[in-house]
Amino acid sequence: MQDFYPSRVSDKPQITKRKDPVIHTDRRLDHEAPLSKEQLNFYEKNGFLQIENLFSEKEVAAMQKAIFELQDSNKHTQSDKIIREPDSDEIRSIFSVDQDDEYFKNIAGDERLLKIVNHLLGSDVYIHQSRINYKPGFSGKEFNWHSDFETWHTEDGMPRMRALSMSIALSDNYIHNGPLMLVPGSHNYYVSCVGETPENNYKQSLQTQKVGVPDNDSLKWLVEKIGGGLSVATGKAGTITIFESNTMHASTSNMTPYPRNNLFMVYNSVENKLVEPFSGAGKRPEYIAVRKTTEPLGKETVLK
Amino acid sequence: MQDFYPSRVSDKPQITKRKDPVIHTDRRLDHEAPLSKEQLNFYEKNGFLQIENLFSEKEVAAMQKAIFELQDSNKHTQSDKIIREPDSDEIRSIFSVDQDDEYFKNIAGDERLLKIVNHLLGSDVYIHQSRINYKPGFSGKEFNWHSDFETWHTEDGMPRMRALSMSIALSDNYIHNGPLMLVPGSHNYYVSCVGETPENNYKQSLQTQKVGVPDNDSLKWLVEKIGGGLSVATGKAGTITIFESNTMHASTSNMTPYPRNNLFMVYNSVENKLVEPFSGAGKRPEYIAVRKTTEPLGKETVLK
């Protein structure tokens, strides 16, 4: 298959224009969307969108309870799906929660979320990756700048930009406890990164990403020349942040006593299923990049 | 001399109440202050105060020019007064600028600043330490939580809490480029830290502070129990942030392309000059902790 977005193939970075729509349903059908025209415009322009109060307070409280129960029950679990902090044993992420846990499976297939995602991706969807991120107070380390798509494309063989990330904040995100930083408009440009992909890179990159990180000049260009500066995705627990697969983002360390937790799910179009990794290297494990369970979400509900 | 604020002497942290006034001029003389009653109340309650527009735009532009000229001219200088980033050769701080450079000496003695400082410290003052902090885009590392006074007391022999820091922002401080985080009200409590002071600790601590850092429980207590949460000192270039010697503060790394630079000067009361370090260890060098040039600032101007 042709590689529309080559990366890690040259010793010089390159910035090219996006070759895919941002909203994959024809904009003439905006009136059918579960989002307002303003929301759609914002997402298309900036590459992300925040929504408050989509879940009730009761639902958010239940999710918060559920993630801590899962964390507690996995305190001593040895599993590749459980990522710990580089400097301590604290759990940083638990992967594949939509597959391993009925409760989170139901959230992934929540009708309110699906309606939005189906519209933005213009098709049926499945979960490409899910995880809970725990950023504990004091010890949560930073995530370097990256486009998720660059990794999914290069390391997982995701062909096109037709996926999105859905982050449900499960603690209050303040300006000071390591919130998500996004580069508005960056989803419209693809930074071809320098370097090669080491074998089994994911074992390193899930703790500290070093490959697939844009060079400083490209990042500066994105921040300064597109004109959007930087946005910081703060919001109270329950706030949803949707960001396009190619939107450049990062987060600083959390030095505060306030934890920063979220449920993170990647929806991919069923028309954009994974092929062989474009890096030529081996595939990442199923719990990071789903290849088997790609049935459209929400269909079984309809058939009931 | 009696040690009113012992630290690094026990293997258990301890929190005690402040034993010194915050504003050292009698509050009945508020009307003589160059600050409003609201500003004085804010400083007394929170341990810090921000002031915009004290300097003109022209003055701020000149200061910005001056710090870069100094940085450029010291690019290859080998000097203990020049601190570089742990991971690169970029200059992180230049110390003692009020002594080595006529331009910065004049800023330190600026009448507008002195009037404020003299009132808050209730006496004549001198510069205990001065430096320019350069926090370059992308590579500026974090500063861990600390009370400056804890270090000045333990390592430099500053007897009482009768000093303050004056930070003049020389680039815009955003919420995302590693701004100063302060714990409001923390200046009213003294955290006696765990550990001992290694010999020549300053050589390590100016890059990454490890000793004199409060334990997580004490910090959590300060943030949550005093009730002030956390404050983030953002503001445009030229904004002044005054913070009391014992106010707990930190800053995260700067992952953005935006640099964060400031001119930082510590004013100490002439009635609070340094004695022997309370740690019992050796003295830090003169460029970090002034003992020789403690003549009251501003007096020579009056005598002209």
Side-chain angles (χ1 to χ4, degrees), chain A residues 201-219:
Chain A
N201 178 47
Y202 69 92
K203 289 185 183 173
Q204 160 70 31
S205 70
L206 295 181
Q207 285 201 329
T208 311
Q209 184 167 357
K210 288 180 181 168
V211 183
V213 171
D215 60 294
N216 288 353
D217 288 342
S218 296
L219 190 62

Side-chain angles (χ1 to χ4, degrees), chain B residues 13 144-147 191 193-194 212-219 222 248:
Chain B
N144 214 333
W145 291 102
H146 64 285
S147 144
V191 180
C193 298
V194 165
V213 171
D215 59 295
N216 288 354
D217 287 341
S218 297
L219 189 62
L222 289 174
M248 201 62 81

